[in-house]
Amino acid sequence: MIEEFYDSGRIREYIQRGKRIIGTFCSYTPEEIIHAAGLVPVRLFGETVDIMNAYSYIPNWLCYYSKRTFEEGLIGNYDFLDGFVFLTSDDTNQLMYSIWKKNIKVEYSYMLQFPFSVDGTSKNFFTKVLEKFKRSLEDHYSVDITDKDLKDSIEVYNRYRSLLKELYKYRFYTPPKISGSDVLKINLAGYSMLKEEFNDKIEEYINKLSDEEGLPDKPRLYVTGIPIYDPLVFEMIESCGFTIVFDDLCNGSRNFDFEINETISNPIEAIAEGYLLKPTCGTCSRQKSLAIDERLSYINERLKTLNPDGIVIIGDKGCELCAFSQVELRKELAKIKPVLYLEIDFPLAKEQHRTRIEAFLESLS
Amino acid sequence: MQKQKINLLGFGKLFGPTYKRHLERQNELLEKKRPCGWFFGYHPSELNYVFDIVNIFPEQYSAYCASRGDSPRMIDDYYSMGYGPFLCDYFKCSVAAIDKPELATKPLMPRPDFTVDHHSICFGHRDMAEIHARMYGVKRYSLAFPYIRKEDIGSFDDITKITEWMDKDLLEYTIQVLRDFVTFLEEVTGEDFDDDKFKSVMKVSEETSRYFIEIFKLFMSKPTPGSQIDLANYPFIGFFVHGSKYGLDYVKNCYELIKERVNKKEGVVPEEKFRLMTHGIMPWHTLSLYNYLEESGATFPLNPYAHCSAVLHDSTKPFESLARRVSTFCNVEHELMLDALIKKAKDADLDGAILFENTGCRIVSGVMRPIKKALYEELGIPSLIVEAPQCDLRAMPPERMKTQFDAFIESLR
Ligand code: SF4
Ligand code: SF4
């Protein structure tokens, strides 16, 4: 069933249907606007492990995600892209926008200004930024994006987010009805699908899931940290005897645990507000509060409800957000639950990680 | 190779008394129990002079630790706290100074009442301000200035930062961010904003910016009149104390020295053999590396990193002018930056470039390969990229760097 979500030919099929594909890189990207323009937003994963070309352009100590996506761009694996949209979400993304623009040939590229601080001033500004982005898509693709188009896309994406929330709940059962690895796979598949198609599929899947028997009961983990675009990481953790009952990764719950207010009359303003207020990645925070505290309070709330046996923080030396926050996260979370910090890079040093995960499992018993 | 004698302009000698005045101001304000802020990045320093805030700069402090030889043991402490290798040395040193003050260079930074970040130079500033605020349990104020893209300004001049245009929404937003910050400072000090004082500080700032610009233009003369050692304090003045009387006096005096030198057509060394650009954060631990090259006749008329300190002000429009300055040009879309840089490289009549890649700093390191490529493709100028974290000489020992410099200079002959 999970396999049904995966269809490597889907993107080509969209192109055959006359759709254009826009690559995105960050969970703060307001895909609703791209979708409303009749385009297909696709989050890029960077599947290649061998970096052969990228280091002629960028330092080799950047995050695995930027290296892998760029390498794929260089070797032509993204030749299906008509364009890409970056956000100023961190130094790496700011840098990579210029590097991509210069070296990966596409028809359309755009950098969205993200204001980081949540207050009235930044909300007004972000609304204007998104209005300009909408105009840029309209001009480039000769389309008219009406308020109705935007509202329809908001509805599709709100449904997408609430279905993913629903799917995540099946991990909370005792025993869980679905593993963390399977949820991640579905989640990843959704990134390259038109959300209306994904929504129908996942709804059907959830209906079936409710009748399924539970999985064998195993110690339960909460996972946080860097974005994971490779199911191998979750499979490795779960194969050591755990079930991952929740993850708040950038491509996990932080991607869907919010909604756009459909009652706000200006849909662009609604989108701006929705994305500014979504669970923080450690970038955005309310003025006078700290992003790390906002993240911790998000995690704590979920820990209270889920009561997992332990927490795994997945890190990447090259990810600046992780590099800055991981010490405080480790320290604070260890006050609540046992914590394992797993620093990964690719190719994955599986055996080495397995030893640590198994030792962690033992320490819990 | 015959070593030439370096004839410094003497900016460094002028800096001592300037810094003393800065510290005196700080101490006076601390005695009066004025609020103390730790500032990260290119904040609107003028406002500190309007509100009499004690202004502390962890980056400058970290550079100071490196120049005193204390940074390696501080960086070791940083690692023992659990942090990884790929964050910038400024964070490594400043966080260690809080963790283990006994290891850190004295005098230590006074305890902050709040921290302020500004992330249009780098996102790291935001994280640093956040972590430092958390360690001290104080407020962090975030100046969410925008990142500049090509469509926002068209193009800009590398020295004056005059732009072709500036997007109206962007400018209005930046001004509003500044006004919100003024409200924050009013809360912190319990005092109303003094508009007249602001205007007079901005006049000082405008004058300072004009001297900066003239100095950088004169620096590009032939032969190159000064050494990079002369410029080493410019980021301090330009980034941190812009708007202070002592900052203005400093650049004014520097201007007199360089003007005289250029009028006499004298260079920093008797025989200039190569004219090089240098970019990237200076290796604060061993600034004498510049002298090593200068002694061999390789001079540096162009340093875009130092140019970040200069932005032409217009004190008749104080908020707008400040908004333009804080919309920093140190980190903009590459296409914009490369256009501006290539124009100046042409004017400077360069033979080559030495580019410092500062491990852990994504902004500076990420731009070096594109610069190298652009200089070569557009002007046929070769570059050497040296990986050199700014405060940790162990990552690239100076002797190894010298070997790379020698090979590069040899290739220019
Ligand atoms: S958040 Fe981390 S993983 Fe994502 S682009 Fe930035 S540095 Fe890379
Ligand atoms: S060195 Fe780089 S990362 Fe560090 S504060 Fe400066 S710009 Fe930011």
Side-chain angles (χ1 to χ4, degrees), chain A residues 91, chain B residues 59 88-91 121-125 128 281 358 360-364 390:
Chain A
D91 291 343
Chain B
E59 289 158 76
C88 88
D89 284 0
Y90 291 152
F91 178 64
I121 293 184
C122 76
F123 201 79
H125 286 137
M128 292 188 216
I281 302 173
N358 307 105
C361 172
R362 285 147 185 87
I363 295 311
V364 172
Q390 66 267 34

Side-chain angles (χ1 to χ4, degrees), chain A residues 25 63-66 90 92-93 226-227 316 318-322, chain B residues 362:
Chain A
F25 300 82
C63 67
Y64 92 88
Y65 179 61
S66 61
D90 59 12
T92 309
N93 277 297
I226 55 163
D316 169 0
C319 168
E320 55 184 291
L321 296 187
C322 162
Chain B
R362 285 147 185 87

